[in-house]
Amino acid sequence: MIDAQTLEAPTENATIRTSRRWSPGACVWCGDTDSVEEYRNEPRCATCRHHESVIEEARRFMGMYGLRPIGGTLQSDDDEEYEHRVGARDSRRVLNEIRLEHQPDPELVRKALRPRAAAVVAEGKPATKRASASSSSSASSARPASSSAKAPAPVKSGAVDIDEIQTRALALLDQLTSIDAQLARVAEQSGLAARARRSDLEKQKATVLRTLAALEKARLSATSK
């Protein structure tokens, strides 16, 4: 669910909350329906995922070098630290501004996630039945019916697994894009901190690429059944 520490209460101006209400399939934070994907086990839109990622990246950076946690002062030891602090502050402000006035019940959110998989199964069943019927009809017309002939095995549908694999792959591709962008920013930087940052990002990229390869292998295995 939503990280309680992701956002802090504003200290200067009162936050203006949107009057929109949450509906199944929409982002649980702001109610938007733009590019909604699962993020931290709940549906979140592209805007919210982006700003949450900016905040999370700032936290990782501060923790990596033992710096003060984000929030409060923007005082920094170098430009990179300052950029992370400013980015986290700006993202926090945006998330506070677009937050729904009434957050949805977590149980309702969990229930709303289930019909998506159920719908995929429901869509796959008629096609499976038609395919089996067509196969049976073709076989009977090609040769006489035999009492000893075995009935065609039911076609296994891997639609649910494939859908989950594709969702995870898309999330990993977004993460890979973010890592590449960060690598580009630190590519020309020098110093111990920059080298350590590049090394960490390269390790993250290697992990993402290995996971993507494993997901592709699983997808090919599911589609070949």
Side-chain angles (χ1 to χ4, degrees):
M1 295 302 294
I2 298 173
D3 186 348
Q5 297 182 351
T6 296
L7 303 176
E8 299 175 0
T11 57
E12 298 178 357
N13 302 321
T15 300
I16 300 175
R17 301 279 172 82
T18 177
S19 60
R20 286 181 296 179
R21 299 177 65 85
W22 180 81
S23 60
C27 174
V28 297
W29 186 259
C30 69
D32 197 358
T33 57
D34 176 38
S35 301
V36 176
E37 295 180 7
E38 188 171 334
Y39 181 85
R40 293 181 180 175
N41 298 320
E42 59 187 14
R44 302 293 288 275
C45 69
T47 299
C48 287
R49 294 198 310 274
H50 167 71
H51 290 296
E52 288 280 13
S53 297
V54 170
I55 294 171
E56 184 60 30
E57 180 59 32
R59 282 181 176 154
R60 282 200 295 263
F61 181 85
M62 303 307 159
M64 184 185 302
Y65 298 110
L67 304 173
R68 294 185 312 278
I70 58 174
T73 179
L74 296 178
Q75 183 178 355
S76 308
D77 295 330
D78 56 37
D79 291 341
E80 187 174 8
E81 179 185 350
Y82 180 75
E83 289 177 3
H84 278 293
R85 292 189 183 278
V86 171
R89 179 200 61 184
D90 293 344
S91 288
R92 183 185 297 113
R93 178 182 300 158
V94 171
L95 288 170
N96 271 319
E97 289 174 352
I98 64 178
R99 183 182 183 184
L100 289 169
E101 183 177 0
H102 301 291
Q103 293 292 285
D105 185 335
E107 181 60 27
L108 293 178
V109 175
R110 285 193 292 270
K111 287 182 179 179
L113 290 175
R114 297 187 195 119
R116 183 170 176 234
V120 174
V121 175
E123 291 174 1
K125 284 182 178 178
T128 300
K129 291 180 179 178
R130 287 194 300 270
S132 298
S134 176
S135 175
S136 177
S137 176
S138 299
S140 62
S141 63
R143 62 180 182 274
S146 172
S147 58
S148 61
K150 295 182 180 179
V155 179
K156 294 183 179 180
S157 173
V160 176
D161 292 337
I162 292 175
D163 184 66
E164 180 181 354
I165 289 171
Q166 290 176 339
T167 299
R168 292 182 60 192
L170 288 173
L172 287 171
L173 287 173
D174 288 342
Q175 183 178 349
L176 187 61
T177 301
S178 175
I179 293 174
D180 285 337
Q182 295 172 60
L183 280 170
R185 287 199 298 269
V186 301
E188 303 301 328
Q189 297 179 10
S190 58
L192 182 61
R195 288 197 298 271
R197 183 63 180 152
R198 282 195 297 271
S199 176
D200 179 67
L201 288 171
E202 288 168 355
K203 289 178 182 178
Q204 291 181 37
K205 182 174 181 178
T207 299
V208 170
L209 290 174
R210 284 196 299 270
T211 306
L212 281 171
L215 288 175
E216 176 63 11
K217 183 178 180 180
R219 186 189 69 81
L220 293 174
S221 176
T223 55
S224 64
K225 291 180 180 180

